[in-house]
């Protein structure tokens, strides 16, 4: 899957009865930050220029970071709590949820654009708390 934030969110909904949209809003900026690399930065730049009208002359990493921030700020501006702890998620369930994600979804396949192993899933979930 090219959008593993859905797999992450499905585990949140299963464990804590969070609506899919709220979970996605919280997870997506943290997922973006996790996958940002030399391999993925150009997609962030394209998104920043096309969606937000960012200046193409900005350094790629700066543009990517601005894109991630814009998503976070937008979700926050429409009243979505931006921390899982605000929705009752318990940090002690993070490792169990990471295992659940890996057992039920393809997030760590070598053919994926930005594979997520257990450590990456845990980092995303912890950053989202």
């Amino acid at each position: 899957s090219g959008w593993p934030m859905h797999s992450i969110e499905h585990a949140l909904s299963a464990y804590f009865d969070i609506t899919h949209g709220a979970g996605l809003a919280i997870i997506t900026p943290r997922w973006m930050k996790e996958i940002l690399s030399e391999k993925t930065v150009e997609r962030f730049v394209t998104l920043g220029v096309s969606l937000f009208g960012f200046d193409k002359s900005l350094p790629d990493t700066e543009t990517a970071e601005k894109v991630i921030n814009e998503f976070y700020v937008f979700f926050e501006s429409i009243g979505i709590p931006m921390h899982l702890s605000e929705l009752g998620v318990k940090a002690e369930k993070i490792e169990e949820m990471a295992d659940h994600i890996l057992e039920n979804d393809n997030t760590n396949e070598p053919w994926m654009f930005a594979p997520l192993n257990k450590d990456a899933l845990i980092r995303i979930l912890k950053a989202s708390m």
Side-chain angles (χ1 to χ4, degrees):
S1 160
W3 303 101
M5 74 284 276
H6 287 278
S7 300
I8 298 168
E9 199 296 312
H10 289 156
L12 291 170
S13 291
Y15 279 74
F16 293 101
D17 195 29
I18 293 171
T19 63
H20 191 58
L24 281 176
I26 296 168
I27 292 296
T28 298
R30 279 67 175 223
W31 167 77
M32 292 171 134
K33 192 171 190 119
E34 176 67 31
I35 69 158
L36 179 56
S37 69
E38 287 183 17
K39 179 182 176 185
T40 63
V41 73
E42 188 54 41
R43 289 200 183 185
F44 284 96
V45 171
T46 300
L47 185 60
V49 171
S50 300
L51 182 61
F52 299 114
F54 293 159
D55 185 343
K56 288 182 185 183
S57 68
L58 291 173
D60 288 353
T61 303
E62 183 180 336
T63 300
E65 289 169 357
K66 286 179 68 165
V67 166
I68 295 166
N69 186 60
E70 286 293 323
F71 271 88
Y72 186 98
V73 167
F74 170 74
F75 294 138
E76 191 174 49
S77 77
I78 60 173
I80 296 174
M82 290 305 292
H83 296 92
L84 293 173
S85 59
E86 295 175 69
L87 300 178
V89 173
K90 304 294 183 212
E92 59 267 16
K93 290 290 188 182
I94 287 176
E95 186 168 348
E96 185 178 338
M97 285 190 295
D99 287 334
H100 176 89
I101 293 161
L102 289 170
E103 289 169 14
N104 292 285
D105 290 292
N106 293 325
T107 62
N108 195 28
E109 299 298 329
W111 50 262
M112 293 185 69
F113 177 65
L116 300 173
N117 61 20
K118 184 175 178 176
D119 289 341
L121 293 169
I122 288 171
R123 282 191 301 272
I124 292 167
L125 290 163
K126 282 183 176 180
S128 300
M129 289 301 293

